[in-house]
Amino acid sequence: MKNYYIFILLVIVFLTYNSSILYAKEKVLIFSAASTTDALTEVCNLFNENPDIRAVPSFASSSTLAKQIQNGAPADIFISANIKWMDFLEKNKLITKNSRFDLLSNKLVMIAPVNSKINLKIVPQFPLIKYLDNGFIAMGDPDHVPVGIYGKMALQHLGIWDSIIKNVARASDVRRTLFLVETDQTPLGIVYLTDAYSSEKVKIIDIFPDESYPKIVYPAAIISKRDEIVVKKQVKIFISFLTSLRSRQIFKQHGFIANF
């Protein structure tokens, strides 16, 4: 009888182990820029109606995700908020050859808490420091975070970066920037148009002129795996869904410009 129970236990362990392997093979892990959180979560939820494959998104700043991939994180797909960090992975041969493409575009906006009385127009040399009233402007860390890099470039183009550099609240990603404005910790913030759309606690003060910063492009690519000769079928299926008409509609509803 004792041997019988041992046998049953071994069978259970074996089945559990094999089902976990099967589950892992059917999971697609997407590392994506924080600004895609709402839209990509909706895309993944819709995709996950497929009973055979599960898409799992993970969100952070593009720089953080790229460095995690460099250090061996098991991502299948990377969606960056700018080309710099995708270039970084491509240079280090960490993306699958010919898998890279431009998925989305975005715009840069100035936001304030929804009840703010601030009214300004973004033009060259506008007195931004005056509107801060000894406070801070929230933006992604301009040394690392794409939205902060774009924001710094825009303010430099407009000729006012040097006047506000000491009044910058550097956030770890765009969602943290949004939170600082939502909670009235800063009177103003610089985020993507899509992030402003996602919150009822902020309002758009103005949109930055297109010529003040480079076009905001979200490249996507499949991460290369040293132990895999070919790209997993599940990854290809998700990429196909990511660039489908249904996904395009979701991205557009969240304020993105779909490039597919």
Side-chain angles (χ1 to χ4, degrees), residues 30-71:
I30 306 102
F31 275 19
S32 191
S35 54
T36 68
T37 298
D38 294 334
L40 187 61
T41 297
E42 189 172 339
V43 169
C44 288
N45 287 342
L46 189 59
F47 177 82
N48 288 341
E49 292 178 4
N50 180 332
D52 300 320
I53 310 171
R54 182 167 175 256
V56 181
S58 179
F59 303 102
S61 69
S62 299
S63 57
T64 297
L65 295 172
K67 291 173 183 176
Q68 288 176 353
I69 292 169
Q70 182 190 33
N71 290 328

Side-chain angles (χ1 to χ4, degrees), residues 32-40 80-81 104-111 147 150 174-175 178 182 190-200 202 204 206-207 213 216 218 248-258:
S32 191
S35 54
T36 68
T37 298
D38 294 334
L40 187 61
S80 177
L104 305 166
S105 297
N106 213 333
K107 290 184 178 292
L108 205 63
V109 300
M110 183 86 71
I111 60 170
V147 68
Y150 287 122
V174 70
R175 285 307 168 106
L178 185 65
E182 286 179 327
I190 298 174
V191 299
Y192 297 122
L193 176 63
T194 49
D195 295 288
Y197 275 11
S198 74
S199 175
E200 296 180 352
V202 302
I204 297 173
D206 201 7
I207 299 175
Y213 59 94
I216 299 173
Y218 288 67
R248 174 196 285 268
Q249 292 169 341
I250 291 172
F251 284 123
K252 289 180 69 175
Q253 287 169 1
H254 287 271
F256 284 104
I257 300 167

Side-chain angles (χ1 to χ4, degrees), residues 170-185:
R170 298 174 176 235
S172 57
D173 58 47
V174 70
R175 285 307 168 106
R176 177 62 183 173
T177 303
L178 185 65
F179 175 78
L180 291 174
V181 181
E182 286 179 327
T183 54
D184 210 12
Q185 295 184 56

Side-chain angles (χ1 to χ4, degrees), residues 31-32 62 65-66 69 76-80 85-86 89 219-221 223:
F31 275 19
S32 191
S62 299
L65 295 172
I69 292 169
D76 294 304
I77 296 167
F78 177 49
I79 302 173
S80 177
W85 290 107
M86 189 64 80
L89 292 185
I223 302 304

